[in-house]
Structures are given as structure tokens and as C-alpha cells.
């Protein structure tokens, strides 16, 4: 069992179709690695379906809303079919990234479009048309640390390869770290393999500490 599961609120948002695209991508990728979360999402979807059936009989839900919910459930179903058809990537990094995420970043990985942030950290920005969300693939060299930082909003980090440790525990492949506003942490990649993660944040992070204050102007968009 994966020790660091996403919160029920996050899975429910995903199952109901309420989650924004970057968050849905993160949860869908986690689901390919975690049977327990897949079961929970299937249960939420079944409950959602039952509520819709009940509403149909009483006609309590307007047609437009009902159709919107039904079509988002169809999309979820299509998404899970695509997960099952996942192929094998060419480069060793891309091959460690499960679908559906791989489709979003494979070309950038093959073309080596990593942006170095210094200190053994590099990233590939994803879904850049999203206004609110910051979404990127992060690679931390084995043994290196991400500068200590504060969160203005929510940040979700899904580990895809390698592992890291922060003040709240140890995170390995499939684990999701959820950080909220006001929580400060300093993730450190375990020695050895590089740690590859998908990071989604709904507000920019703020670096803390003397080094952080120097670097802040360079990391904010
Ligand atoms: Zn963080």
C-alpha cells in the first residue's frame, strides 16, 4: 500500500469532475500507481451515478446540470481507458513516467527541454496556458535539496521515481505530498537515483531563509 495517499477531498474533486486539469492530471497519474485510490474513486463515481439516477426520477436536477455531470463521468471513463493503453517510452526518464502524464511531457523530455533552476534542480513546465496553476515536472539530483519554502496556496507533489524526505515524512513512487498555505518545508532527495516528481501548485511558492530571499526574484514567474 502507498503510505502517502491523497486526501479524500482531492479524490472526490477528481471523481466529480470538479478538479482543474492540472489537479486531474496529477490524480489520474497517481491512480495508475495506487489500487487503493482507484477503488475509492470508483466508489465515488458509483455514488455520483446513483445520485444522478435518483435525481432523474424526482427531476430535482436541471437537465443542463445533469448532462454536464454525465459527460464529465464519460470523460473520466475515457481517461482510464487511455491509462490502460499506455505504451513504453523511448528514453529511460520518459519510460518511468506513467500515462496519462507521459503524453504531456514525453516530447519535452526527448528534446531535453529541462530548465535548470540551479542547485541540482531542473524542471519542465506543463500546461502553461493555465492561469491559476503552476504545473511542472521536477527533477532533483540524488542527495540534493529543494530550498526551504513557504506556500501561499496548496501544493501537491506526486513522486514518479526516486524518493524525497521532508519534515512530514518519506515519499516514494506513487506517494502524494499535500502542502497547504503557511506550511514550510525543505524536500531532500534520497542519495542515489534522481527524484522525479509532478508538482501542481495553485499559488506561487515563497522561498524562506537567507538563500531563499536571494533566489526568490529568480523563481517567481
Ligand atoms: Zn513545497
Amino acid at each position: 500500500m502507498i503510505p502517502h495517499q491523497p486526501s479524500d477531498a482531492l479524490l472526490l474533486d477528481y471523481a466529480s469532475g470538479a478538479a482543474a486539469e492540472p489537479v486531474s492530471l496529477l490524480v489520474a497519474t497517481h491512480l495508475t500507481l495506487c489500487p487503493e485510490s482507484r477503488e475509492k474513486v470508483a466508489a465515488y463515481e458509483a455514488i455520483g451515478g446513483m445520485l444522478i439516477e435518483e435525481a432523474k426520477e424526482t427531476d430535482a436536477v436541471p437537465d443542463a446540470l445533469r448532462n454536464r455531470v454525465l459527460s464529465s463521468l464519460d470523460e473520466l471513463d475515457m481517461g482510464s481507458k487511455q491509462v490502460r493503453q499506455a505504451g513504453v517510452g523511448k528514453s529511460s526518464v520518459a519510460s518511468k513516467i506513467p500515462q496519462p502524464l507521459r503524453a504531456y511531457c514525453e516530447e519535452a523530455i526527448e528534446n531535453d527541454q529541462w530548465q535548470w533552476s540551479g542547485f541540482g534542480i531542473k524542471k519542465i513546465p506543463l500546461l502553461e496556458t493555465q492561469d491559476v496553476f503552476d504545473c511542472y515536472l521536477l527533477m532533483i539530483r540524488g542527495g540534493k535539496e529543494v530550498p526551504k519554502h513557504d506556500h501561499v496556496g496548496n501544493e501537491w507533489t506526486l513522486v514518479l521515481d526516486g524518493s524525497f524526505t521532508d519534515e512530514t515524512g518519506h515519499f516514494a513512487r506513487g506517494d502524494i505530498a499535500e502542502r497547504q498555505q503557511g506550511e514550510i518545508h525543505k524536500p531532500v532527495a534520497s542519495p542515489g537515483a534522481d527524484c522525479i516528481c509532478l508538482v501542481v501548485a495553485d499559488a506561487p511558492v515563497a522561498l524562506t531563509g537567507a538563500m531563499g530571499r536571494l533566489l526568490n526574484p529568480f523563481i517567481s514567474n
Side-chain angles (χ1 to χ4, degrees):
M1 173 163 164
I2 287 184
H4 297 282
Q5 298 281 342
S7 64
D8 287 341
L10 189 64
L11 293 179
L12 201 52
D13 264 8
Y14 172 83
S16 67
E21 188 179 2
V23 178
S24 287
L25 179 62
L26 179 116
V27 175
T29 308
H30 165 77
L31 292 182
T32 66
L33 302 171
C34 181
E36 289 84 4
S37 292
R38 279 203 297 277
E39 269 175 35
K40 276 191 186 176
V41 167
Y44 293 149
E45 284 174 4
I47 293 166
M50 271 168 6
L51 289 175
I52 289 165
E53 283 305 313
E54 206 169 289
K56 250 192 224 167
E57 281 161 25
T58 59
D59 216 21
V61 177
D63 281 352
L65 176 62
R66 182 190 303 143
N67 291 339
R68 215 162 51 226
V69 175
L70 284 172
S71 72
S72 67
L73 287 175
D74 284 347
E75 278 169 27
L76 281 170
D77 194 36
M78 274 175 55
S80 58
K81 277 181 196 130
Q82 282 163 4
V83 167
R84 283 194 289 275
Q85 290 161 2
V88 176
K90 287 180 232 156
S91 81
S92 61
V93 172
S95 69
K96 287 168 184 161
I97 297 173
Q99 294 286 20
L101 175 60
R102 197 191 303 159
Y104 286 76
C105 58
E106 184 164 20
E107 207 180 314
I109 292 171
E110 299 296 346
N111 296 328
D112 199 23
Q113 289 171 348
W114 291 97
Q115 299 174 0
W116 282 97
S117 306
F119 303 98
I121 301 162
K122 55 184 182 177
K123 51 168 103 171
I124 292 177
L126 305 171
L127 293 170
E128 289 180 279
T129 51
Q130 292 280 331
D131 299 340
V132 177
F133 290 89
D134 208 10
C135 177
Y136 54 91
L137 204 61
L138 175 73
M139 188 191 279
I140 316 165
R141 280 260 162 84
K144 295 284 181 184
E145 61 189 44
V146 175
K148 195 172 186 177
H149 59 274
D150 195 354
H151 301 95
V152 182
N154 298 298
E155 179 194 74
W156 300 271
T157 305
L158 167 65
V159 180
L160 303 163
D161 199 40
S163 61
F164 75 82
T165 302
D166 72 5
E167 291 78 347
T168 62
H170 181 74
F171 298 83
R173 182 168 164 88
D175 282 335
I176 289 186
E178 287 190 71
R179 297 280 78 83
Q180 284 160 358
Q181 187 170 5
E183 290 183 311
I184 296 175
H185 72 154
K186 186 172 75 171
V188 182
S190 308
D194 293 340
C195 180
I196 304 169
C197 304
L198 173 65
V199 182
V200 176
D202 61 9
V205 299
L207 299 180
T208 58
M211 185 60 90
R213 279 192 290 278
L214 276 172
L215 284 171
N216 257 328
F218 301 102
I219 61 149
S220 42
N221 294 324

